[in-house]
Structure formats: structure tokens, C-alpha cells
Amino acid sequence: MSRFRLALAGTGGKYGHGIRAHVIPGRRFGFELVAVFDPSEEKLAEARELLGDEAGFKVYDSFKAMVTDPSIDAVVITSPDENHPKQMKTALEAGVPTLCDKPLATTNKGLRIVKRGLELALRRNIPFMSCHPREGSLPYRWVETHLGDMQRRFGALQHVELDFSYHIPEAAWKQARSLLLDHFLHEIDFVLRLLGSQPFEAWRLADGFDRYTVAGKLQKGVTFLFNGSRRLENSTYPETIMLRFNRGTCLVNTKTGLIIYRNHETEELESELGSPIDYSVSFDLIMANFAAAISQGANSQHIGHLWRINEAALRLTTRGHYKSPGMS
């Protein structure tokens, strides 16, 4: 297994996404944290405490100094969202394989910077990824694997609904930002992986820090509806996937793994137990894919896809409507 000297921007401290979702899972795929940029001494201390004996990383005074150090093989960016555009572009200008948390941009100015960065990654074939845990989520992967079987049984797919209900956010920044901008990327990424990359149109029906709803349609005719809220009192992550076919419906509870089929012609109900969601598996796959991309020297996610879904999220947040180029 290859060894990759990893840099991290924004530790998040002992509860941080960077350490728990990327650094620790990354160890299994050859990543060793050797460099950190984080202006918060408190967060750095918490990260060292969490990593224990493996906290021998070097702290840099600036992000640019870190990614231009020739001893760095890759960087993970989990800093505050407003820093993502400039940091990802700086890393790619330095030729460093980059994994950047979503959203890539929260403003139109940031989106223009992201576009230049992605164009650079594409032109120079620098591995670049964004963080989409559902790509490795067991229930979502089950849907992708079994879609063909369900269509043979119930006919063509008509409609996809994704729904989640999370706990009330504790972090102040999450109470001041659009949930649509924070989460729509995950939903549309899954739908386009499930049904193939294609133009789409979408409308914002509701948005706030604690709920969002978006409806839309794909070029090939399938419609979608995304609902999400952060209003639960306890920390839990129930999600459901609903697929509506010509002659039936499939409902997947990702929290329990329960799968229910409804035959619209006979009204028969069938159920089976699949695999519940396991975030450790999801982040393992993200870091495995990042390692593979670095080893192969090629992008592991389609650059145009990443640009389109990030652009769509920002347009829906600011304007309420998005239509892909080429959408009839």
C-alpha cells in the first residue's frame, strides 16, 4: 500500500469532521497526517488529544505555505465553508491532490474561483474530490445495485423522493445558513449517480437553517422531491428513500435497513431487511477512492458533475430556480 503524507486545513478539534471522517479512516489507506493549518490553538490542542501518539504533525502559519511544501502528497480541506474556494484553488495551483468538503462555494464570487480551480484540475489532471458520504452508504448503494431488478418488476421509474430528519443544530454557523446549501448537494449527487449524469431543472419550495424542500425533473423525465429538516430533540439521522415506478413503490428506511415494496396492481406489501446506514463505511470508501485517485494520477469524480451540482445549490439558494444548460 502506498503511503501518502496528508495535510489538513481546519481540524474542527476533537469533534471535527476533518479528523474523524478523513484522517482516522485514511490511516487504513496509507494516509499519514503530517501537516495542519488551523488558526485556532484550542482546536489544535483538541486534535492532538484525539490523535494521541499519532499527533506529530507540523503546524503551518498559512494554508499556502502548507500546500507548497514539497513534502506534502495530498490535502483535505475541512475549514469553514467561506474558505473553500480560495484554499482549493491554491492547492490545485500547487499541483496537490485535493479533497474538499462541501459546499465548494457559498457566494457567486466563490463559485467563480471554484470554476477556475476545477478547470485547472481538469487541464492538469490533478486528482480532486468533494465529500459525498452517500456514495459509500450501504442503503444508497443497495438502491443503485437493485434499480434494474425493481424496474423489471414494477416498470419504469417515475419519481424519486429523499427525506431526512436530523437534530436541532448546536453550532451557531449552522443556525445562520441555508440547509438547502448545506445538503442539496448530497441528494442531487445521489440521483445523478443513480440515473446517470444529465441536465435537470429544480425549484426551491422552502429553505431555512432548519428545513428545505426542492422539487425538480431530469432531462429524461424522472421527477424528484427532496425534503429535509433539523428539528429533532435528540441526535439521530433517520433518512428514507422512496422510488415510484409505473406499477409499484419501494421505500427504504436507511436507519433500520427495512425495505418495503408495494405492488400497485395487487396492493400486496412485501418487506425485507437490508443493511442500515454505517457512516464509517461511507468515509472509508471516500478515503479509499482518494488514495486510488492519487495513485493513478487521475480525477476520481467527474469535474463537470461537481461544478454543476455546486452551481445548482447556490442558484437555488439565492434565486429559487436552476436549469442546467441543455435542459429542454
Side-chain angles (χ1 to χ4, degrees), residues 105-173:
T106 59
T107 65
N108 288 325
K109 179 180 178 181
L111 196 63
R112 290 192 293 270
I113 296 172
V114 166
K115 185 176 183 180
R116 292 196 292 271
L118 293 177
E119 289 171 345
L120 178 63
L122 185 61
R123 186 168 63 251
R124 295 175 55 187
N125 203 30
I126 304 168
F128 179 83
M129 289 179 56
S130 191
C131 183
H132 291 283
R134 285 179 179 170
E135 185 175 349
S137 171
L138 296 176
Y140 289 91
R141 292 176 70 184
W142 180 92
V143 170
E144 293 179 41
T145 301
H146 291 82
L147 178 62
D149 294 335
M150 289 187 281
Q151 290 192 115
R152 284 186 285 274
R153 179 179 179 183
F154 295 123
L157 180 66
Q158 295 181 6
H159 181 71
V160 179
E161 289 191 22
L162 303 177
D163 184 278
F164 65 88
S165 186
Y166 297 167
H167 58 278
I168 298 169
E170 297 178 2
W173 67 269

Side-chain angles (χ1 to χ4, degrees), residues 57-75:
F57 51 78
K58 179 180 178 181
V59 178
Y60 288 76
D61 292 332
S62 74
F63 179 83
K64 185 174 182 179
M66 181 173 72
V67 295
T68 53
D69 187 328
S71 67
I72 300 303
D73 297 317
V75 63

Side-chain angles (χ1 to χ4, degrees), residues 102 133-134 137 140 162-170 174 179 182-183 186-187 209-212 227-240 254-255 277 279:
K102 56 79 193 171
R134 285 179 179 170
S137 171
Y140 289 91
L162 303 177
D163 184 278
F164 65 88
S165 186
Y166 297 167
H167 58 278
I168 298 169
E170 297 178 2
K174 286 191 174 182
L179 181 55
D182 194 33
H183 222 274
H186 292 320
E187 279 77 60
F209 81 92
D210 62 350
R211 69 161 292 196
Y212 99 90
N227 282 298
S229 69
R230 287 176 172 153
R231 294 180 174 178
L232 301 182
E233 296 294 334
N234 60 327
S235 181
T236 185
Y237 300 90
E239 301 175 14
T240 56
T254 72
K255 185 76 172 178
I277 202 164
Y279 288 103

Side-chain angles (χ1 to χ4, degrees), residues 158-162 184 187-188 191-192 195 198-203 205 212-219 221-227 242 312 316 322 327:
Q158 295 181 6
H159 181 71
V160 179
E161 289 191 22
L162 303 177
F184 169 80
E187 279 77 60
I188 194 63
V191 168
L192 293 177
L195 300 174
Q198 59 188 284
F200 65 91
E201 188 170 12
W203 295 265
L205 304 184
Y212 99 90
T213 304
V214 165
K217 60 180 179 180
L218 303 180
Q219 177 76 67
V222 175
T223 57
F224 57 82
L225 181 67
F226 305 151
N227 282 298
M242 193 277 282
L316 286 166
Y322 173 78
M327 180 68 182

